Amino acid sequence: MTARKTARKKLKTQHSKDAFRQARRVIPGGVNSPVRAFGAVGLTPRFIDRAKGARIWDIDGNEYIDYVGSWGPMILGHAHPGVLRAVREAMKKGTSFGAPTENETRLAEAIRRALPSVQQVRMVSSGTEATMSAIRLARGVTGRSRVLKFEGCYHGHSDGLLVGAGSGVATLGIPGSPGVPAAMTELTVQAPFNDLHAVAEAFARWPDEIACIIVEPIAGNMGCIPPVAGFLRGLRELCDQHGALLIFDEVMTGFRVARGGAQRLFRVRPDLTCLGKVVGGGLPAAAYGGRNDLMRHVAPAGEVYQAGTLSGNPLAVAAGLATLERLEEPDVYDRLNALSERLVGGLDSLAEEAGVPFSTVSAGGMFGFFFHSGPVRRFEDAKKAHQARFRCFFSEMLEGGINLAPSSYEAGFLSLAHRARDIDRTLEVARNALLRAARIR
Ligand code: KE4
């Protein structure tokens, strides 16, 4: 009697396949942001019908436990009643005025309460705008032109930040995309993440030329990679020593890893902070802010120009306010930490049982994993992770009703709507997914 392999019923995906074909006719790659196309995993992207709490449903009716959470904003869970109510109430008064509203002041005050390093805030509509504007401000205030960033850190798609991954020590940026002229990246210096020596070398090589360092204090765009002990403190000291500004790009970590973001977690105070995702509660809103002596240079208070038709949009501000208000509850981050630790702890145990090299990271409501035994401290390390195993794992988890980020260079996100039973279900599916991945050489 041959053991029949229990062929698991594959999820129906015909509607997503049809929708993807149709979308590709009128939208480049069929998506409005590249990662959504599932290119890294070679599968049909799931077109979404609706989401609620920790769950998301595709247009074929498949249900998933969601760990993408719109790439971070949905920290309360999808379609949170309080957020929907706030947006509905705001909509009744109109959708956009191009004039100041009191709620924008309230949101700025809520951000200040959480981030003592931020005395003034400017709302924008995307993380890209936030980082681009913070860098312009740093250049305007210091009168310097160079910017230092880290390989594998992503700060949105403004030209000067789309630099190819350099190699070795601090290197001058090379265009990371067609359409970005070399002249736009020549002023961008790249160093390996977690490498203070390379940063010190950059300051030595370009004395008095570096306006700022911009860093994801916990990197979330090359997988999830935390700073090694002393790294952020070291950046603070080098910036102070060389008269450069320190910009924390907390678009992903802000209100995600702690109420005061990574700067609270690691007790390092940046000069400027960029925020996004959670501060818009799922609607287009982002921000940059910092000390009064810096922000007073931003137009119209000062000379550094920056503007935006929909900056501080009433609906986005209502969603952001409703989200941040709920994040002021006392045990929020303990709950998120407990959930992410339950998840990554379970994955670690299952990977060990499966005998597959694997390492995990978690911080607040953010987590990551690599098919690499670790330590993963920089982009070079992350690139050594086993991609075929990741693809197999991702596919098995998706088939099992678990929606993970479709790239090993992304992070995962939990919400306050996730429960222990969701994590346990996820681990049930992960057991078999890791065994299958382990069989790949
Ligand atoms: P947006 O322009 O996409 O709002 O934010 C850019 C940005 C800036 N800084 C950090 C640390 C970020 O993570 C991002 C955007 N994150 C990606 C996820 N890795 C957004 C997903 C996407 O590009 O579709």
Side-chain angles (χ1 to χ4, degrees), residues 33 35 71 126-128 154-156 216 221 249 251-252 277 410:
S33 198
V35 70
W71 301 101
S126 71
T128 295
Y154 174 70
H155 305 289
E216 291 181 63
N221 287 286
D249 176 353
V251 166
M252 189 182 283
K277 299 181 191 280
E410 297 290 353

Side-chain angles (χ1 to χ4, degrees), residues 37-241:
F38 274 31
V41 292
L43 296 172
T44 299
R46 303 296 142 93
F47 277 61
I48 300 307
D49 172 52
R50 67 191 191 283
K52 178 73 181 158
R55 279 167 174 66
I56 198 160
W57 287 263
D58 68 22
I59 58 173
D60 287 281
N62 302 310
E63 175 182 325
Y64 307 90
I65 299 173
D66 183 28
Y67 291 100
V68 175
S70 178
W71 301 101
M74 310 321 296
I75 196 164
L76 300 184
H78 288 287
H80 185 282
V83 174
L84 298 188
R85 189 168 47 250
V87 175
R88 269 199 304 272
E89 287 309 305
M91 270 196 292
K92 290 175 188 168
K93 299 180 176 180
T95 55
S96 180
F97 315 122
T101 63
E102 290 176 295
N103 263 353
E104 291 164 76
T105 307
R106 293 188 185 101
L107 182 55
E109 288 166 344
I111 292 170
R112 271 172 48 116
R113 278 198 299 277
L115 296 168
S117 72
V118 174
Q119 294 175 313
Q120 285 216 326
V121 185
R122 168 57 60 84
M123 297 301 298
V124 292
S125 297
S126 71
T128 295
E129 270 193 277
T131 58
M132 178 178 73
S133 309
I135 286 170
R136 183 180 308 133
L137 175 59
R139 284 170 161 158
V141 168
T142 62
R144 298 177 179 182
S145 302
R146 290 195 192 282
V147 171
L148 188 145
K149 73 174 288 289
F150 295 92
E151 284 155 27
C153 283
Y154 174 70
H155 305 289
H157 62 89
S158 60
D159 280 349
L161 291 171
L162 278 188
V163 288
S167 59
V169 202
T171 55
L172 280 179
I174 50 174
S177 162
V180 176
M184 300 299 290
T185 56
E186 275 161 8
L187 293 171
T188 307
V189 178
Q190 276 218 122
F193 189 66
N194 276 323
D195 186 340
L196 283 175
H197 175 71
V199 176
E201 280 215 347
F203 277 117
R205 187 170 164 193
W206 295 288
D208 304 329
E209 291 187 47
I210 296 176
C212 60
I213 291 177
I214 185 166
V215 65
E216 291 181 63
I218 298 175
N221 287 286
M222 47 175 153
C224 187
I225 303 183
V228 297
F231 176 62
L232 297 176
R233 168 73 48 212
L235 293 182
R236 178 69 276 170
E237 289 164 1
L238 284 166
C239 283
D240 292 343
Q241 203 178 319

Side-chain angles (χ1 to χ4, degrees), residues 284-364:
Y288 65 102
R291 297 195 316 266
N292 286 326
D293 64 292
L294 298 174
M295 296 303 288
R296 68 180 177 79
H297 291 278
V298 178
E303 302 300 307
V304 177
Y305 193 71
Q306 179 267 310
T309 302
L310 295 176
S311 296
N313 171 269
L315 307 192
V317 167
L321 267 174
T323 300
L324 297 197
E325 277 160 18
R326 283 161 180 78
L327 294 177
E328 292 183 357
E329 287 160 22
D331 65 341
V332 159
Y333 292 96
D334 293 339
R335 287 165 52 196
L336 288 167
N337 270 314
L339 286 166
S340 57
E341 284 163 10
R342 187 185 187 105
L343 177 63
V344 299
L347 290 173
D348 278 331
S349 306
L350 292 170
E352 194 171 352
E353 277 174 35
V356 63
F358 192 82
S359 55
T360 60
V361 177
S362 73

Side-chain angles (χ1 to χ4, degrees), residues 231-303:
F231 176 62
L232 297 176
R233 168 73 48 212
L235 293 182
R236 178 69 276 170
E237 289 164 1
L238 284 166
C239 283
D240 292 343
Q241 203 178 319
H242 296 280
L245 296 182
L246 180 57
I247 301 176
F248 273 12
D249 176 353
E250 297 226 42
V251 166
M252 189 182 283
T253 55
F255 296 98
R256 166 64 55 186
V257 299
R259 222 176 83 69
Q263 55 195 270
R264 173 84 179 80
L265 217 49
F266 296 103
R267 300 190 187 292
V268 173
R269 189 172 277 231
D271 298 300
L272 293 171
T273 299
C274 302
L275 298 166
K277 299 181 191 280
V278 171
V279 296
L283 271 69
Y288 65 102
R291 297 195 316 266
N292 286 326
D293 64 292
L294 298 174
M295 296 303 288
R296 68 180 177 79
H297 291 278
V298 178
E303 302 300 307

